[in-house]
Amino acid sequence: MMERVHLYYDEMDSPVGTLTLLSNGEKLVRIEYGGMDKRSDQMNKWIARFFGDVTFVHSPKNVAIAKKELQAYFDEQNQAFTVEFEFHGTPFQQKVWQALFETISYGDTKSYKDIAVAIGKPKAVRAVGGAVNKNPFSIIVPCHRVIGASG
């Protein structure tokens, strides 16, 4: 049986709506669209899978760096993120997300095929698409900059 885990959160308004930032107390673990009061089923399933029994603690200080960097990004004053974060997903998903973070710079785009090649799985284009769709760090890990081969 898993021990009860504390996840720390705060919300922020952004040009794309309310964002909820989650931390394990040391690193950011997820960015979710919407507020805590309207958590998606996808987020609840993800939390249960990777953290088990959770107590949520409202704690702006635990996500302050992420919030500051995201606000600067939205204000067009930040093009790179330094906040520490931790991926929770399958090993394949983690490879894809790491490749997104490492290979797509501000304003750049990559195709799903480019990412598949970058992780050494050139035929896994559809699987890469599935992993991109489950990216837990939207904006910081630029899944919105991955496009189809035809552009």
Side-chain angles (χ1 to χ4, degrees):
M1 189 157 133
M2 294 179 95
E3 183 178 317
R4 184 177 272 288
V5 173
H6 286 83
L7 287 181
Y8 305 91
Y9 75 93
D10 195 19
E11 298 173 358
M12 70 179 283
D13 292 326
S14 80
V16 294
T18 301
L19 298 175
T20 298
L21 312 174
L22 289 173
S23 167
N24 63 10
E26 295 177 16
K27 296 179 180 179
L28 198 64
V29 296
R30 187 175 181 96
I31 298 171
E32 181 76 10
Y33 289 93
M36 280 297 285
D37 61 334
K38 296 179 181 158
R39 284 195 315 269
S40 69
D41 287 341
Q42 179 183 5
M43 180 175 162
N44 288 331
K45 287 177 187 174
W46 179 87
I47 288 166
R49 179 176 180 192
F50 293 105
F51 294 98
D53 194 14
V54 171
T55 297
F56 293 103
V57 179
H58 182 246
S59 179
K61 73 176 182 140
N62 285 90
V63 297
I65 294 170
K67 196 171 180 179
K68 180 181 173 187
E69 289 186 356
L70 282 163
Q71 189 59 58
Y73 174 85
F74 292 128
D75 292 341
E76 298 180 4
Q77 296 179 13
N78 181 31
Q79 296 182 357
F81 293 91
T82 63
V83 64
E84 291 188 57
F85 56 89
E86 184 174 281
F87 292 124
H88 292 274
T90 67
F92 180 82
Q93 288 172 330
Q94 290 182 38
K95 275 186 179 179
V96 169
W97 301 332
Q98 192 65 45
L100 297 176
F101 186 71
E102 291 175 355
T103 65
I104 305 176
S105 56
Y106 183 83
D108 194 13
T109 58
K110 297 280 184 191
S111 70
Y112 294 101
K113 176 78 173 174
D114 293 335
I115 301 302
V117 169
I119 65 167
K121 304 274 186 189
K123 295 184 187 262
V125 176
R126 290 187 73 143
V128 164
V132 168
N133 185 48
K134 294 195 178 342
N135 173 17
F137 295 106
S138 183
I139 304 163
I140 291 176
V141 175
C143 57
H144 57 287
R145 298 194 182 277
V146 183
I147 58 175
S150 65

